[in-house]
Amino acid sequence: MTVEATGQTRQKTVTWQDPLPTARIGRELSGLDYLTGIAEGRIPPAPISAHFGMRWVSVAEGDVVLAATPDESLYNPIGTVHGGVAATLLDSAVACAVHSTLPAGVGYTSVELKVNYLRAISGSVGEIRAHGWIVKAGSRVAFAEGDIRDGQGRVLATASSTCLIIKP
């Protein structure tokens, strides 16, 4: 069976800045100062933000909220926003919640991310918000949780994460 495309072709342009100079700036600032600079537009965001239209809503120590408005360019083969988009938003929110607690020069990496998908996300849902918060900050490992909610406050997905703290 051959299916002929009936819709119009759409385009999306993604632009970003070289992330390496920004990463160097990040090593000189506390995590909270660095993420606040990104949220306020003084420091360029990570390139992944442009792909998903990710915007910063709030940054506080141990607590980060990101927003995005998904569209059809993020759909999977079954006609909903790909689960990887939700996982990426959640990973960003929970990892940045960890990052916001770190002093200058200390890094982190995600070593585990568990995502639960509770509701399908479509391009018609409007803005979604990924909220990440610290459960336990540690000197070697940090634990964070998060969720994605739609504009009506319905939980669309949840996550738990473990991040390795990397000291110089």
Side-chain angles (χ1 to χ4, degrees):
M1 178 169 138
T2 302
V3 177
E4 188 174 317
T6 58
Q8 294 180 336
T9 300
R10 295 165 174 93
Q11 290 185 339
K12 186 176 185 177
T13 302
V14 178
T15 58
W16 66 92
Q17 293 185 346
D18 179 355
L20 296 181
T22 302
R24 284 192 285 275
I25 291 169
R27 288 192 285 274
E28 304 299 320
L29 300 172
S30 72
L32 185 58
D33 289 342
Y34 180 60
L35 296 175
T36 299
I38 294 170
E40 293 176 350
R42 294 181 284 111
I43 298 173
I48 192 70
S49 299
H51 287 285
F52 297 140
M54 206 180 316
R55 299 175 304 282
W56 291 80
V57 175
S58 65
V59 177
E61 187 171 341
D63 194 279
V64 169
V65 179
L66 303 169
T69 303
D71 61 34
E72 294 170 334
S73 72
L74 302 175
Y75 275 23
N76 59 26
I78 61 172
T80 60
V81 172
H82 193 284
V85 174
T88 299
L89 290 170
L90 284 164
D91 186 45
S92 297
V94 297
C96 286
V98 170
H99 191 176
S100 71
T101 67
L102 300 177
V106 175
Y108 70 95
T109 189
S110 298
V111 294
E112 181 265 342
L113 178 70
K114 181 185 183 309
V115 177
N116 292 307
Y117 302 98
L118 306 175
R119 297 178 187 266
I121 301 172
S122 70
S124 64
V125 73
E127 181 182 83
I128 57 175
R129 291 190 174 199
H131 181 196
W133 59 89
I134 286 290
V135 173
K136 169 94 173 62
S139 61
R140 294 182 193 167
V141 176
F143 302 92
E145 292 182 352
D147 63 30
I148 293 179
R149 295 177 184 257
D150 65 13
Q152 288 74 48
R154 291 180 297 198
V155 179
L156 307 174
T158 63
S160 61
S161 179
T162 306
C163 290
L164 178 68
I165 308 303
I166 305 167
K167 295 184 179 179

